[in-house]
Amino acid sequence: MFTVMAMPNNFQHVTVIEGQPCLFISQGNIMSADTKIAELLTELHQLIKQTQEERSRSEHNLLNIQKTHERMQTENKTSPYYRTKLRGLYTTAKADAEAECSILRHALDKIAEIKSLLEERRIAARMAGTYSDNDPPRKTMRRGVLMTLLQQSAMTLPLWIGKPGDSPPPLCGAMPASSDYVAKQGDKVAARVKAVDGDEQWILAEVVSYSHSTNKYEVDDIDEEGKERHTLSRRRIIPLPQWKANPETDPEALFSKDQLVLALYPQTTCFYRALIHTPPHRPQDDYSVLFEDTSYADGYSPPLNVAQRYVVACKENKKK
Amino acid sequence: MMSELKDCPPLKYYDFKPVEHVKLCPRYTAVLGRSEDDGIGIEELDTLQLELETLLSSASRRLRALEEQRQILTDWQDKKGDKRFLKLGKDTDLSASSRHKPKKQKLDGKGSHGPGPGPGRPKSKNVQPKVQEYELSEDPQDIPRNPKNDAPNRFWASVEPYCADITNEEIRVLEELLKPPDDEAEYYKIPALGKHYSQRWAQEDLLEEQREGARANDKKKSLMGPLSELDAKDVDALLKKSESQHDPPEDGCPFGPLTQRLLQALVEENIISPMEDSPIPDLSGKDGGNDAAGTSPRSQGKSFSLAKEEMRKQELRQRVRVSDNEVMEGFRRIMAARQKKRTPTKKEKDQAWKALKERDSILKLLDG
């Protein structure tokens, strides 16, 4: 028996029913997840080729602009003729750049779509694994593997590249979530949990579900070693950013020096209070932060690197 | 790499070089070369994502810069008027024309000289790329801010009244001015002479002293008393005596005969100039100042013949201008006909000849 689900085109919200292989219906086609992914990959391939066609096409005009620049600069030709000519070239180049951006965005959206599907597949597989046998609820993961995964997740967090006039949205870099934001299944969050000995700690967790009736999240510790599922109120949950902020275009979406944040301590899955030392310069750079650490004379660790993904605003007023 | 040079509103000559994807986006480049069967692997998605983000980021920045610079160019073109076009054009031409002309010939002739990337592009060598020279060229946006030099305009405006055509109105005004007024007789009446100034001053001085004396009297009361009164009376008597002796004749000279002779001698010797208000009796019989009256424009009865002549010529010149236009019109028609490779019609030729003849006749009138 198959469970058949209708999928919205953006593949975002999927409730997976236990134990069954799933079929995804999209636009009237019934296909397995694998086939769908394969189809999307082919589409991506086409998009990438189209991108390069667009880029080669516009190169000629950019070269003209370069020549015109040189002539205007070295030969002192600032006549209205040249200005009008330059303006015309700029207009064409602008149209080309817009077309190029458009295709690139399609391609990136396609990648996001595929990744989302993969994520769904992972969750579905995990769920299936949970209920299919009597094994311990979680498969333990080796630490090294976990760290690599975390690093990869941070690196491939999509970069926010706004169109002219756009401003960074909530959950881009340091931009806070809107007040009524509810984290979705699979979202990564910082969760304040109470340990067995009464100590409170912010851990890296993944959202399982949210109950509107109780206003509580169910989250899983990302480090599956022995910690169970937590049920927490909203104020104990901080959603992690879903886009990296581009320091070159949107520096206002980054935390600034000396700002107090909660940052994931390297090689762990816990968040601690820290001060920003230096924000990233390039999109792929990390923050450099100083963790509060009483074992150091001045109370702070030396600068340590933490990816944009794992730095959030600190809501606590006092030390935990 | 952005080379910023000062130009009207600062025009930045951004380097719009596209990302070298072969170098910076290897996975992207690899995927490009693959056939559809080979396709993309899931494990490549992360790398591809990063590379595509790099490309998008660069294209996005380029887009913003292009829009910004295009806006500057548009604003600049909207702001400036024709005058600045000419002014800017002229200035750059003046400063650069000597360099440009020989350069043009070189370009046409040979081509590659000097360094520069890419073959086959017209080279512009002979010109040292002087940034300073470039910056000297006018900043059109500054022109409205600096006080415009309108001295030539003011000059021509001030000269204009002198060069303008004469109008009938102006001649009428002049004639009005020169018309002899009816009531001129009033102006010819010379009133009687008053008291000569030497006498008047002497009297005024006396009065002043009397007043002072009176004041002194008040102050010194009994001390001066009768003495000052006596003085005053004496002075009055003296004055009256001198007045009766020297009553100035109505139309004669106030001076005595001896003084008169002295003055006459001095004038003849050119030591002093003759006094105007008391005419020395004309003994040498020189001519009066009648010449001055004779050269007054009024007495000459001017008829503005010169002005009228000039006006006639003005009119002729105006007709010449009109006729010029007609000749030009005829010329244009014939040229248009030639361009279309047809011979001009009889009508066109006639019109042209007529216009030419008319112009010639007017010119003859003008010169004659």
Side-chain angles (χ1 to χ4, degrees), chain A residues 24-278:
Chain A
F24 298 85
I25 303 178
S26 169
Q27 298 173 341
N29 296 333
I30 299 178
M31 56 179 77
S32 69
D34 286 344
T35 321
K36 183 69 195 167
I37 288 174
E39 186 183 280
L40 293 175
L41 283 171
T42 312
E43 285 172 22
L44 177 64
H45 199 174
Q46 280 166 358
L47 283 171
I48 288 182
K49 290 197 169 167
Q50 280 171 26
T51 304
Q52 189 48 33
E53 276 165 23
E54 185 60 46
R55 294 182 77 243
S56 332
R57 206 170 54 83
S58 45
E59 234 179 271
H60 176 69
N61 195 53
L62 290 177
L63 212 60
N64 277 346
I65 289 180
Q66 198 178 359
K67 285 188 212 173
T68 310
H69 278 181
E70 278 179 33
R71 293 197 77 176
M72 283 176 80
Q73 284 173 252
T74 61
E75 297 180 22
N76 226 0
K77 283 186 174 153
T78 56
S79 67
Y81 163 74
Y82 270 92
R83 291 173 174 277
T84 313
K85 180 175 170 184
L86 193 63
R87 198 169 74 142
L89 288 174
Y90 280 167
T91 309
T92 312
K94 206 184 107 154
D96 287 345
E98 276 169 352
E100 188 181 326
C101 286
S102 176
I103 299 191
L104 281 165
R105 281 182 206 277
H106 275 323
L108 283 167
D109 285 346
K110 191 65 65 178
I111 292 182
E113 201 182 326
I114 300 174
K115 279 182 147 184
S116 178
L117 254 190
L118 288 171
E119 179 74 1
E120 305 302 341
R121 203 169 66 167
R122 177 184 73 82
I123 291 177
R126 201 176 67 168
M127 291 268 194
T130 306
Y131 294 95
S132 63
D133 47 39
N134 294 329
D135 280 1
R138 314 284 183 78
K139 276 203 294 197
T140 48
M141 204 185 292
R142 288 173 55 119
R143 195 132 196 101
V145 174
L146 177 62
M147 289 304 136
T148 309
L149 270 179
L150 290 185
Q151 203 176 25
Q152 202 175 21
S153 165
M155 197 174 61
T156 61
L157 190 67
L159 178 68
W160 169 258
I161 301 166
K163 298 184 188 158
D166 280 355
S167 46
L171 292 182
C172 167
M175 306 301 283
S178 42
S179 48
D180 56 354
Y181 178 76
V182 173
K184 302 180 244 336
Q185 183 182 53
D187 281 358
K188 303 294 185 290
V189 299
R192 186 153 65 103
V193 300
K194 209 177 269 210
V196 190
D197 53 0
D199 267 352
E200 298 233 327
Q201 216 173 41
W202 287 94
I203 62 168
L204 179 59
E206 183 181 314
V207 170
V208 175
S209 65
Y210 177 76
S211 161
H212 285 276
S213 47
T214 60
N215 279 346
K216 289 201 176 177
Y217 283 101
E218 263 196 325
V219 301
D220 277 347
D221 193 330
I222 201 95
D223 180 1
E224 294 161 14
E225 254 180 56
K227 291 172 186 155
E228 4 34 81
R229 186 160 289 188
H230 304 274
T231 305
L232 302 168
S233 70
R234 286 177 62 150
R235 51 187 179 77
R236 285 169 169 262
I237 298 290
I238 305 178
L240 297 186
Q242 291 179 343
W243 286 282
K244 281 193 286 228
N246 189 344
E248 289 156 356
T249 56
D250 306 301
E252 72 273 18
L254 291 169
F255 294 108
S256 40
K257 185 169 161 64
D258 295 334
Q259 228 175 325
L260 180 65
V261 294
L262 279 174
L264 195 74
Y265 201 91
Q267 303 303 311
T268 74
T269 58
C270 295
F271 291 85
Y272 297 94
R273 289 157 61 99
L275 292 178
I276 299 288
H277 181 62
T278 46

Side-chain angles (χ1 to χ4, degrees), chain A residues 281-313:
Chain A
H281 289 298
R282 294 168 308 166
Q284 60 270 40
D285 289 345
D286 292 342
Y287 281 100
S288 172
V289 306
L290 310 170
F291 285 96
E292 285 180 4
D293 196 331
T294 48
S295 59
Y296 288 93
D298 62 349
Y300 290 99
S301 71
L304 294 169
N305 286 345
V306 181
Q308 284 200 40
R309 180 91 154 108
Y310 302 121
V311 178
V312 291

Side-chain angles (χ1 to χ4, degrees), chain B residues 56-72:
Chain B
L56 179 57
S57 185
S58 158
S60 192
R61 270 203 305 274
R62 192 188 329 139
L63 184 59
R64 269 176 235 252
L66 282 169
E67 177 51 37
E68 174 196 283
Q69 295 297 296
R70 201 183 67 93
Q71 195 58 45
I72 289 178

